[in-house]
Amino acid sequence: MAGPSNLAELAAFPFDFDLDRAAHGHVEEVRLASGGPLETVAGDDTGGTYFVCADGSVLYADSEGAAGIIGSSVDETLELVIGLPGWRGYTRLSPDDGEEKILACVAETEDEIRECYGIDKERAELRAALGFSKRAPVELVGRLRPLLRTEPDFVLLNADEGCAYDRIGPAGPPLWEPVLAAGRADLARLREGDQTAWHELTEDPVRRRITLRAAQFDRAEGDLELLRHLLRHETRSSMTDELRLAAVLVGLRGDTGDLPLLLEVRETDFDTMCGLGSMPEPGASTDELQQWARALDESMFGTDPSDEPVSTWTDLARDQGMTDLARVTLIRELDNIFMDQSRLRRPGAPRTLATAPLSGLAQDFEELGDLPQALRAQRLYAALQETAWDRASARHTLARLEREAGQLPRAADSLAAVRDALATPGDASLRYWQQVNLGSYIAEEHYRLTLALADADRPEETRALLTAADAILGELSENAANGIRELAERTAARVREVN
């Protein structure tokens, strides 16, 4: 029987699972988006790397920026690479493709390999030594496909830039499918007259919202009573997109007897009144009611979940505790924006990029506790601002995130950029910054970073930033400065202690 050394040599050649390459690491520093551990166990001659994750699953990352789980254990992965040495070319195959197509693909690849070196004798020897059964290529392909379960727990990131590796195989279901699953189940229970479900949804705002979204895409004629019920209770959450959706779904039925309910809901508070807009008055016709509902439906909702903004699904995913799924979706959304920005730099490309999504992404990542991704989004957002006001505001937020991430020198640089923006001559956007919240926020962040620098024992930078903070405070109006004075005094005292 072959010894361990010979087995390792056979795994490395001809099956390209080289244990010695583990010592060299991957082509770049990487980490899991989930924060889980990675152990490098092998590499291949293309620059790809095999990692073992915390649960024993094996993640393969190639040198071109794609990665995916290919086995639930090292043994399962070895069975795959021995049985299908050309497995990289089969990741988009499915048992549904049929045995004939799968065998033809495998035969073509392995015939090409045999033109250069043998694999059959070596495969038999390695299988026997490791105690692996001979498995048909169709079985191995069938096993490979469901193991491409990379998202959300095993998404690989470039450690420096934070961007995600591409999927090594086909994408999984769109985010809206798992998000809507519970809502669809609750909607079915309501339709069956399940009184327990009626009571539970009354008390659970998250389940109400998801059920209303399920009803948005599955509009049954008999749903009017349950929609009325959900609409009445959604007013507990004040103005939400789902409250507006419930009103629209009720209004689309065209029952003018619902006008008193709709008008009562509209008067819940000022935000709800604004959110529902100009609603038909009592005595309006069915056509008028449906026209109002149809206009809102066409502009804000619709019947295709793939048309919804990604934020709809990431918010609902997060509310259901699907935090990693929401995070990974947002990371890929941010990656797409960076790709768009890269394309804009090419000669002849348009020069504008919508920046509003970046600000929302930064906030979403912060709420998820992912400061590195929040910083990544905020840095690009800040770099794209044009008016002095917008530059100062964006850099102020960036400085706060950098301080919270412990990146104190970078935060100090961002506040220097804020001061540069405030000194921009002739920019009308800055006309009233000393009288409004922006001025207060900027002064406050200067003092908070000064305290952080003092705690980090950086006396020279501490004194310089305190001087800048006091100068900004001195420019604020009395009202804008009042809320900052106690922090300013406490900061000055702390700096005196350090000195």
Side-chain angles (χ1 to χ4, degrees):
M1 178 176 289
S5 176
N6 189 45
L7 292 180
E9 291 173 5
L10 281 175
F13 183 82
F15 299 105
D16 213 8
F17 189 90
D18 191 342
L19 301 178
D20 289 340
R21 291 181 184 269
H24 302 298
H26 194 47
V27 293
E28 61 186 5
E29 290 296 317
V30 292
R31 63 181 177 87
L32 288 177
S34 65
L38 286 173
E39 179 188 358
T40 307
V41 293
D44 63 28
D45 62 8
T46 69
T49 306
Y50 295 90
F51 300 95
V52 174
C53 305
D55 68 347
S57 297
V58 175
L59 177 75
Y60 175 79
D62 67 25
S63 59
E64 302 299 318
I69 292 290
I70 62 166
S72 60
S73 66
V74 173
D75 278 357
E76 197 169 83
T77 301
L78 278 168
E79 274 198 298
L80 176 71
V81 300
I82 294 166
L84 294 177
W87 68 267
R88 297 172 195 80
Y90 313 145
T91 57
R92 297 189 181 275
L93 284 177
S94 161
D96 296 338
D97 292 319
E99 183 175 357
E100 183 178 352
K101 179 178 178 179
I102 292 172
L103 291 177
C105 288
V106 172
E108 181 180 1
T109 304
E110 296 197 355
D111 285 345
E112 291 176 359
I113 294 174
R114 291 185 186 98
E115 291 177 4
C116 302
Y117 46 82
I119 55 172
D120 300 303
K121 176 185 173 184
E122 292 79 0
R123 177 154 49 199
E125 181 180 353
L126 199 49
R127 275 176 170 163
L130 295 174
F132 294 161
S133 302
K134 180 179 180 180
R135 300 190 184 278
V138 175
E139 179 185 352
L140 290 172
V141 167
R143 184 192 289 181
L144 174 64
R145 186 171 178 82
L147 287 173
L148 295 167
R149 53 182 172 82
T150 307
E151 298 192 2
D153 297 325
F154 304 104
V155 170
L156 196 65
L157 305 181
N158 174 295
D160 293 329
E161 298 176 5
C163 53
Y165 272 50
D166 292 334
R167 303 172 183 90
I168 207 167
L175 178 61
W176 56 264
E177 285 193 11
V179 167
L180 280 182
R184 286 170 165 168
D186 278 335
L187 182 60
R189 292 174 64 194
L190 292 179
R191 287 171 173 169
E192 293 167 359
D194 185 329
Q195 293 304 308
T196 302
W198 283 72
H199 174 73
E200 289 174 350
L201 265 70
T202 298
E203 303 301 323
D204 192 325
V206 173
R207 288 178 64 182
R208 278 202 313 269
R209 291 172 62 203
I210 300 165
T211 303
L212 280 165
R213 288 294 179 176
Q216 175 185 349
F217 306 112
D218 181 8
R219 304 184 180 193
E221 286 297 324
D223 285 350
L224 183 53
E225 188 54 43
L226 68 87
L227 291 172
R228 289 168 177 156
H229 176 79
L230 294 172
L231 173 60
R232 289 187 185 98
H233 293 284
E234 189 59 21
T235 57
R236 296 182 180 185
S237 302
S238 186
M239 188 60 222
T240 64
D241 285 340
E242 285 73 29
L243 187 150
R244 185 188 288 112
L245 170 62
V248 165
L249 293 176
V250 169
L252 285 172
R253 276 26 182 217
D255 187 337
T256 56
D258 286 319
L259 277 170
L261 169 62
L262 291 168
L263 290 167
E264 179 186 347
V265 168
R266 184 176 181 272
E267 298 302 316
T268 300
D269 54 33
F270 179 76
D271 289 340
T272 306
M273 181 175 64
C274 295
L276 293 179
S278 181
M279 188 179 288
E281 297 296 325
S285 68
T286 293
D287 284 346
E288 289 172 317
L289 176 57
Q290 289 180 321
Q291 285 175 8
W292 166 80
R294 197 174 296 118
L296 280 177
D297 189 30
E298 291 174 354
S299 65
M300 304 193 69
F301 300 110
T303 58
D304 187 346
S306 62
D307 289 338
E308 283 289 324
V310 69
S311 58
T312 296
W313 306 123
T314 54
D315 287 351
L316 289 172
R318 183 181 60 206
D319 291 344
Q320 292 182 80
M322 302 177 184
T323 304
D324 285 337
L325 197 56
R327 179 188 294 112
V328 165
T329 302
L330 291 170
I331 289 171
R332 295 206 181 279
E333 188 77 0
L334 180 55
D335 288 348
N336 289 336
I337 293 175
F338 269 90
M339 289 176 63
D340 289 342
Q341 174 65 10
S342 178
R343 283 192 287 267
L344 290 179
R345 296 194 186 105
R346 298 173 186 169
R351 306 307 300 171
T352 59
L353 176 71
T355 60
L358 284 167
S359 179
L361 283 171
Q363 184 174 346
D364 287 339
F365 282 123
E366 186 178 4
E367 290 173 356
L368 289 169
D370 194 335
L371 279 181
Q373 295 293 342
L375 282 165
R376 186 171 163 236
Q378 188 65 26
R379 283 189 180 117
L380 180 56
Y381 177 72
L384 295 172
Q385 300 311 301
E386 295 183 355
T387 69
W389 177 288
D390 290 341
R391 292 199 305 275
S393 177
R395 292 286 179 180
H396 156 264
T397 301
L398 179 58
R400 177 181 61 78
L401 291 172
E402 288 168 335
R403 172 177 57 80
E404 292 174 355
Q407 300 176 10
L408 303 188
R410 297 189 76 161
D413 289 342
S414 292
L415 286 184
V418 170
R419 297 194 296 276
D420 289 343
L422 294 179
T424 303
D427 191 317
S429 69
L430 290 173
R431 192 178 309 157
Y432 302 113
W433 75 266
Q434 299 94 334
Q435 285 84 42
V436 295
N437 285 339
L438 177 63
S440 300
Y441 294 153
I442 290 172
E444 178 182 357
E445 186 54 37
H446 273 73
Y447 286 117
R448 294 200 181 281
L449 182 57
T450 300
L451 287 170
L453 288 167
D455 291 341
D457 195 22
R458 305 175 79 107
E460 186 174 339
E461 295 162 81
T462 300
R463 289 192 296 271
L465 193 60
L466 178 62
T467 300
D470 289 341
I472 290 173
L473 182 63
E475 290 195 58
L476 299 184
S477 68
E478 189 67 22
N479 285 338
N482 281 339
I484 309 298
R485 295 194 189 283
E486 188 276 331
L487 175 61
E489 293 169 2
R490 178 158 51 89
T491 304
R494 178 74 180 97
V495 173
R496 286 194 295 273
E497 286 178 14
V498 172
N499 290 333

Short mmCIF file of all heavy atoms in Angstrom, two decimals, residues 341-366:
data_model
loop_
_atom_site.label_atom_id
_atom_site.label_comp_id
_atom_site.label_asym_id
_atom_site.label_seq_id
_atom_site.Cartn_x
_atom_site.Cartn_y
_atom_site.Cartn_z
N GLN A 341 -18.61 52.69 -11.09
CA GLN A 341 -17.70 53.82 -10.96
C GLN A 341 -16.44 53.60 -11.79
O GLN A 341 -15.92 54.52 -12.43
CB GLN A 341 -17.35 54.04 -9.48
CG GLN A 341 -16.30 55.11 -9.23
CD GLN A 341 -16.75 56.50 -9.63
OE1 GLN A 341 -17.91 56.72 -9.93
NE2 GLN A 341 -15.83 57.45 -9.63
N SER A 342 -15.95 52.36 -11.80
CA SER A 342 -14.76 52.05 -12.59
C SER A 342 -15.03 52.24 -14.08
O SER A 342 -14.19 52.77 -14.81
CB SER A 342 -14.32 50.61 -12.31
OG SER A 342 -13.21 50.26 -13.09
N ARG A 343 -16.23 51.83 -14.53
CA ARG A 343 -16.58 52.01 -15.95
C ARG A 343 -16.68 53.48 -16.33
O ARG A 343 -16.37 53.86 -17.45
CB ARG A 343 -17.89 51.29 -16.24
CG ARG A 343 -17.74 49.77 -16.37
CD ARG A 343 -18.99 49.14 -16.94
NE ARG A 343 -20.07 49.13 -15.99
CZ ARG A 343 -20.33 48.11 -15.18
NH1 ARG A 343 -19.57 47.03 -15.21
NH2 ARG A 343 -21.35 48.15 -14.34
N LEU A 344 -17.11 54.32 -15.37
CA LEU A 344 -17.25 55.75 -15.67
C LEU A 344 -15.91 56.41 -15.92
O LEU A 344 -15.85 57.49 -16.51
CB LEU A 344 -17.96 56.46 -14.51
CG LEU A 344 -19.45 56.12 -14.32
CD1 LEU A 344 -20.01 56.88 -13.13
CD2 LEU A 344 -20.25 56.46 -15.57
N ARG A 345 -14.83 55.79 -15.45
CA ARG A 345 -13.50 56.39 -15.65
C ARG A 345 -12.96 56.16 -17.06
O ARG A 345 -11.95 56.73 -17.43
CB ARG A 345 -12.52 55.81 -14.62
CG ARG A 345 -12.87 56.14 -13.18
CD ARG A 345 -11.69 55.84 -12.27
NE ARG A 345 -12.04 56.00 -10.87
CZ ARG A 345 -12.25 54.99 -10.04
NH1 ARG A 345 -12.13 53.75 -10.49
NH2 ARG A 345 -12.56 55.19 -8.78
N ARG A 346 -13.62 55.30 -17.81
CA ARG A 346 -13.12 55.00 -19.16
C ARG A 346 -13.40 56.17 -20.10
O ARG A 346 -14.41 56.87 -19.95
CB ARG A 346 -13.79 53.73 -19.69
CG ARG A 346 -13.49 52.49 -18.85
CD ARG A 346 -14.31 51.31 -19.31
NE ARG A 346 -14.12 50.16 -18.43
CZ ARG A 346 -14.87 49.07 -18.48
NH1 ARG A 346 -15.85 48.97 -19.35
NH2 ARG A 346 -14.63 48.07 -17.65
N PRO A 347 -12.53 56.38 -21.08
CA PRO A 347 -12.75 57.47 -22.03
C PRO A 347 -14.09 57.33 -22.74
O PRO A 347 -14.48 56.24 -23.16
CB PRO A 347 -11.59 57.30 -23.03
CG PRO A 347 -10.54 56.57 -22.26
CD PRO A 347 -11.27 55.66 -21.31
N GLY A 348 -14.81 58.46 -22.82
CA GLY A 348 -16.08 58.46 -23.53
C GLY A 348 -17.26 58.04 -22.69
O GLY A 348 -18.41 58.10 -23.15
N ALA A 349 -17.02 57.60 -21.44
CA ALA A 349 -18.13 57.17 -20.58
C ALA A 349 -18.80 58.38 -19.96
O ALA A 349 -18.18 59.43 -19.79
CB ALA A 349 -17.60 56.24 -19.48
N PRO A 350 -20.09 58.28 -19.63
CA PRO A 350 -20.75 59.38 -18.91
C PRO A 350 -20.05 59.61 -17.57
O PRO A 350 -19.47 58.70 -17.00
CB PRO A 350 -22.19 58.87 -18.72
CG PRO A 350 -22.10 57.39 -18.88
CD PRO A 350 -20.98 57.15 -19.85
N ARG A 351 -20.14 60.80 -17.05
CA ARG A 351 -19.34 61.16 -15.88
C ARG A 351 -20.13 61.20 -14.58
O ARG A 351 -19.65 61.69 -13.57
CB ARG A 351 -18.69 62.55 -16.10
CG ARG A 351 -17.88 62.67 -17.38
CD ARG A 351 -16.84 61.57 -17.54
NE ARG A 351 -15.87 61.57 -16.47
CZ ARG A 351 -14.97 60.61 -16.28
NH1 ARG A 351 -14.96 59.55 -17.08
NH2 ARG A 351 -14.11 60.68 -15.30
N THR A 352 -21.38 60.76 -14.59
CA THR A 352 -22.17 60.87 -13.37
C THR A 352 -22.51 59.49 -12.82
O THR A 352 -22.66 58.53 -13.56
CB THR A 352 -23.47 61.65 -13.64
OG1 THR A 352 -24.22 60.97 -14.65
CG2 THR A 352 -23.16 63.06 -14.09
N LEU A 353 -22.64 59.43 -11.51
CA LEU A 353 -23.03 58.21 -10.83
C LEU A 353 -23.99 58.62 -9.72
O LEU A 353 -23.73 59.53 -8.95
CB LEU A 353 -21.82 57.51 -10.21
CG LEU A 353 -22.09 56.25 -9.38
CD1 LEU A 353 -22.52 55.11 -10.29
CD2 LEU A 353 -20.86 55.84 -8.59
N ALA A 354 -25.15 57.93 -9.66
CA ALA A 354 -26.11 58.22 -8.60
C ALA A 354 -25.48 57.85 -7.26
O ALA A 354 -25.07 56.71 -7.05
CB ALA A 354 -27.39 57.43 -8.82
N THR A 355 -25.39 58.82 -6.35
CA THR A 355 -24.68 58.58 -5.09
C THR A 355 -25.60 58.27 -3.93
O THR A 355 -25.15 57.81 -2.90
CB THR A 355 -23.83 59.81 -4.73
OG1 THR A 355 -24.69 60.95 -4.58
CG2 THR A 355 -22.80 60.10 -5.80
N ALA A 356 -26.91 58.52 -4.08
CA ALA A 356 -27.83 58.29 -2.97
C ALA A 356 -27.76 56.86 -2.43
O ALA A 356 -27.77 56.66 -1.21
CB ALA A 356 -29.25 58.65 -3.37
N PRO A 357 -27.70 55.82 -3.30
CA PRO A 357 -27.63 54.46 -2.75
C PRO A 357 -26.42 54.24 -1.85
O PRO A 357 -26.48 53.45 -0.91
CB PRO A 357 -27.56 53.58 -4.00
CG PRO A 357 -28.17 54.39 -5.09
CD PRO A 357 -27.79 55.80 -4.77
N LEU A 358 -25.30 54.93 -2.13
CA LEU A 358 -24.10 54.75 -1.32
C LEU A 358 -24.33 55.20 0.12
O LEU A 358 -23.90 54.54 1.07
CB LEU A 358 -22.93 55.52 -1.93
CG LEU A 358 -22.28 54.89 -3.15
CD1 LEU A 358 -21.36 55.90 -3.84
CD2 LEU A 358 -21.50 53.65 -2.76
N SER A 359 -25.00 56.33 0.28
CA SER A 359 -25.28 56.81 1.63
C SER A 359 -26.17 55.84 2.38
O SER A 359 -25.93 55.53 3.55
CB SER A 359 -25.95 58.19 1.55
OG SER A 359 -26.25 58.67 2.84
N GLY A 360 -27.18 55.31 1.68
CA GLY A 360 -28.05 54.32 2.31
C GLY A 360 -27.31 53.04 2.65
O GLY A 360 -27.54 52.44 3.71
N LEU A 361 -26.40 52.61 1.77
CA LEU A 361 -25.63 51.40 2.03
C LEU A 361 -24.74 51.58 3.25
O LEU A 361 -24.62 50.67 4.08
CB LEU A 361 -24.78 51.05 0.81
CG LEU A 361 -25.51 50.38 -0.36
CD1 LEU A 361 -24.60 50.30 -1.57
CD2 LEU A 361 -25.98 48.99 0.03
N ALA A 362 -24.09 52.73 3.36
CA ALA A 362 -23.24 52.97 4.52
C ALA A 362 -24.04 52.87 5.81
O ALA A 362 -23.60 52.27 6.80
CB ALA A 362 -22.58 54.35 4.41
N GLN A 363 -25.25 53.43 5.80
CA GLN A 363 -26.10 53.37 6.98
C GLN A 363 -26.55 51.93 7.27
O GLN A 363 -26.56 51.49 8.41
CB GLN A 363 -27.32 54.26 6.80
CG GLN A 363 -28.22 54.34 8.02
CD GLN A 363 -29.34 55.34 7.84
OE1 GLN A 363 -29.32 56.17 6.94
NE2 GLN A 363 -30.33 55.27 8.71
N ASP A 364 -26.90 51.19 6.19
CA ASP A 364 -27.31 49.80 6.38
C ASP A 364 -26.19 48.96 6.99
O ASP A 364 -26.42 48.17 7.91
CB ASP A 364 -27.72 49.19 5.03
CG ASP A 364 -29.05 49.72 4.53
OD1 ASP A 364 -29.83 50.22 5.34
OD2 ASP A 364 -29.30 49.64 3.31
N PHE A 365 -24.98 49.13 6.47
CA PHE A 365 -23.85 48.36 7.01
C PHE A 365 -23.58 48.74 8.46
O PHE A 365 -23.26 47.88 9.29
CB PHE A 365 -22.59 48.60 6.18
CG PHE A 365 -22.55 47.84 4.88
CD1 PHE A 365 -22.40 48.51 3.67
CD2 PHE A 365 -22.67 46.47 4.87
CE1 PHE A 365 -22.36 47.81 2.47
CE2 PHE A 365 -22.62 45.75 3.68
CZ PHE A 365 -22.47 46.43 2.47
N GLU A 366 -23.70 50.01 8.78
CA GLU A 366 -23.48 50.44 10.16
C GLU A 366 -24.50 49.79 11.09
O GLU A 366 -24.17 49.33 12.18
CB GLU A 366 -23.55 51.96 10.26
CG GLU A 366 -23.20 52.49 11.64
CD GLU A 366 -23.22 54.00 11.72
OE1 GLU A 366 -23.58 54.66 10.73
OE2 GLU A 366 -22.90 54.52 12.81
#
